[in-house]
């Protein structure tokens, strides 16, 4: 009688064996974080566009769109990217997420502001500045969020899928 293959103990691809489970978990977290970032970009761009249409202008509109995007990415990262990490009260964790992501915000908003101020095509199409700012802030946001927001005691170890 034939039995089903034991997929849990089956040899995987050679590259996976070389990376090891911890690095694979890290790669999965980075991929998920990036995908969540794409959703955050869509929220950011949509809220900015709406804010400008409603008269907030590109500066205040960008602050509002950033808070909306950061809140969205916090929620998605909490329930998907880092779902197996220690849980604290959501409001406190959200506040910590916003606090540690101020570094990413500085790169994000700084890039946006410089481009809006000095690159005419970006001034005419602020969403281009949002895209550039999002990329500038992503790396710092991942490292800080992973270490301080979604891990107990700031250990920074990979979460488990």
């Amino acid at each position: 009688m034939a039995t089903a293959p034991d997929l849990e103990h089956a040899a995987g691809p050679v590259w996976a064996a070389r990376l090891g489970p911890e690095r694979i978990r890290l790669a999965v977290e980075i991929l998920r974080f990036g995908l969540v970032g794409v959703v955050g970009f869509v929220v950011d761009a949509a809220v900015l566009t709406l804010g400008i249409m409603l008269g907030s202008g590109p500066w205040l509109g960008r602050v509002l769109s950033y808070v909306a995007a950061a809140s969205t990415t916090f929620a998605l990262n909490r329930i998907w990217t880092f779902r197996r990490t220690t849980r604290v009260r959501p409001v406190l964790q959200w506040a910590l997420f916003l606090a540690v992501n101020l570094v990413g915000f500085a790169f994000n908003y700084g890039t946006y502001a410089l481009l809006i101020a000095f690159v005419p095509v970006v001034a005419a199409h602020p969403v281009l500045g949002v895209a550039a700012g999002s990329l500038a802030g992503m790396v710092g946001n991942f490292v800080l969020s992973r270490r301080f927001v979604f891990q107990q005691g700031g250990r920074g170890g990979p979460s488990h899928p």
Side-chain angles (χ1 to χ4, degrees), residues 33 77 82 97 100-101 139-151:
F33 193 85
N77 279 316
F82 303 108
F97 180 81
V100 300
N101 281 278
V139 172
N141 285 344
F142 175 77
V143 170
L144 294 172
S145 294
R146 185 172 185 262
R147 179 166 178 92
F148 296 109
V149 178
F150 297 106
Q151 294 295 318

Side-chain angles (χ1 to χ4, degrees), residues 103-120:
V103 172
F105 175 76
F107 286 114
N108 188 322
Y109 195 84
T111 300
Y112 171 82
L114 285 171
L115 291 173
I116 288 283
F118 297 110
V119 180

Side-chain angles (χ1 to χ4, degrees), residues 92-104:
L92 293 176
Q93 197 174 31
W94 174 77
L96 181 59
F97 180 81
L98 290 180
V100 300
N101 281 278
L102 286 175
V103 172

Side-chain angles (χ1 to χ4, degrees), residues 41 45 48 111-112 115-116 119 121-134:
F41 169 75
L48 174 63
T111 300
Y112 171 82
L115 291 173
I116 288 283
V119 180
V121 71
V122 177
H125 305 282
V127 170
L128 296 174
V130 172
S134 295

Side-chain angles (χ1 to χ4, degrees), residues 31 46 64 143:
L31 177 64
L64 298 173
V143 170

Side-chain angles (χ1 to χ4, degrees), residues 12-119:
V14 174
W15 61 266
R18 288 185 180 153
L19 283 177
E22 295 300 314
R23 287 186 180 145
I24 289 173
R25 279 190 209 104
L26 176 61
V28 168
E29 285 180 354
I30 291 169
L31 177 64
R32 288 178 178 173
F33 193 85
L35 292 172
V36 166
V38 170
V39 173
F41 169 75
V42 170
V43 170
D44 204 341
V47 172
L48 174 63
T49 301
L50 182 63
I52 290 171
M53 288 172 41
L54 295 175
S56 70
W59 304 103
L60 177 59
R62 183 65 171 104
V63 172
L64 298 173
S65 71
Y66 181 84
V67 172
S71 298
T72 300
T73 57
F74 164 74
L76 293 174
N77 279 316
R78 188 173 199 271
I79 64 174
W80 189 46
T81 307
F82 303 108
R83 68 179 180 261
R84 301 280 167 102
T85 59
T86 302
R87 297 284 185 218
V88 297
R89 289 182 282 175
V91 172
L92 293 176
Q93 197 174 31
W94 174 77
L96 181 59
F97 180 81
L98 290 180
V100 300
N101 281 278
L102 286 175
V103 172
F105 175 76
F107 286 114
N108 188 322
Y109 195 84
T111 300
Y112 171 82
L114 285 171
L115 291 173
I116 288 283
F118 297 110
V119 180

